[in-house]
Amino acid sequence: QGVVYAGNAASNGTYPFIELSGTSMAAPVVTGAVALLEQKSGGIIPPAQHQARLMVPPEKRPGDPLA
């Protein structure tokens, strides 16, 4: 089906994911989000703006099943 995942040998196939937490796991996700923000804005933005932009909730759009 084209889905790639990291399997967990202890799960016996019932739950093929492992749960990880902490800043070491969050850092790559936040770094990617900041890179996308800077790409969209067309340049480097101050760190305070990164935090403010990342903390704003997403817009709810009409027809969105999660809205």
Side-chain angles (χ1 to χ4, degrees), residues 8 23 36-37 40 50 55:
N8 180 355
T23 55
L36 291 172
L37 286 172
K40 186 175 180 180
H50 291 311
M55 294 180 73

Side-chain angles (χ1 to χ4, degrees), residues 15-40:
Y15 188 70
F17 302 100
I18 57 174
E19 182 177 331
L20 302 171
S21 63
T23 55
S24 296
M25 297 297 110
V29 175
V30 174
T31 301
V34 168
L36 291 172
L37 286 172
E38 289 194 354
Q39 183 180 24
K40 186 175 180 180

Side-chain angles (χ1 to χ4, degrees), residues 40-64:
K40 186 175 180 180
S41 71
I44 297 174
I45 56 177
Q49 285 187 16
H50 291 311
Q51 182 178 4
R53 290 181 184 190
L54 289 172
M55 294 180 73
V56 172
E59 296 177 10
K60 292 184 179 180
R61 298 179 183 193
D64 186 348

